[in-house]
Amino acid sequence: TESAKRETISQGLAKIAENVQSLLTDVNCIGNTAARASTILTQVAAEEAGKGFLLVDYMRPYREVTPQKRAQHLKSVYDHLARGIYVKYYETCPGPFVELESIVDSWRASHYLDGPNDVDWIFRNEIEEDRERELYVDLVSDEQGLRWQSPTDHWKRLAELGCLETREPPAICTLYLLMHMTGLFSGNALYVMAETWKNVTIASGTSYDSYLPINKAFVAECHRQGLLTPTTTREAALNR
């Protein structure tokens, strides 16, 4: 049933929050003493938060979402690229949805053209390439011919450039932990979310600001039902 599904998703969202918090705590303990490990753990935490928000959006089926699209969306929870797109999206400043659709579509592409004339070279998907370059040894073919690409070489170059340092927690992690600690991922809150969004139509010509009243209505209804923990702060979420 939908009720059982909500409770299952809610439990998963809580476990994901626990994991994100644990990873960020490890990052804080490591600091710059092992910047490579710190950066990788931060990346994993961000992907976990991306997974969580994919599940949240699965529970927010606005009017245009068919059962087929919803099932396809659920499968993307296990996809590294989909999680990476969510991470990158949460670092943007939302504009008109038609612009965002174009940007996200470009992030989905398996390859893209770039260079001095914008068409000189073929590159792999940037999100997948960045992730794998930092984690795995790969055999690649480029203008240098066939060669092995090693994370060790990548991290050495970053160290030489002075780019290895502890970063602020990604925006997606901060928001995810705040929403979790505020109580917005409980089974009852997810029900309110679904009811608030079920008759909404997402139009390409509109912007994020157009839907702020819906998000505010969701939070207000959760507050009215006593579902929220109002004392949560950013610092509390990150240092719990």
Side-chain angles (χ1 to χ4, degrees), residues 122-123 129 139-149:
I122 300 174
F123 293 90
E129 173 65 18
L139 185 62
V140 300
S141 178
D142 55 21
E143 67 275 6
Q144 300 176 36
L146 197 63
R147 64 183 178 84
W148 287 102
Q149 178 176 275

Side-chain angles (χ1 to χ4, degrees), residues 2-20 48 51-52 55-56 59 176 180 183-190:
E2 281 297 314
S3 177
K5 187 181 295 182
R6 278 194 302 275
E7 288 304 319
T8 299
I9 296 293
S10 177
Q11 291 167 15
L13 294 175
K15 292 293 184 184
I16 290 170
E18 181 182 281
N19 195 30
V20 170
E48 276 288 84
K51 179 200 298 178
L55 288 170
V56 170
M59 299 306 298
Y176 187 85
H180 165 67
L184 293 172
F185 294 158
S186 69
N188 288 334
L190 292 176

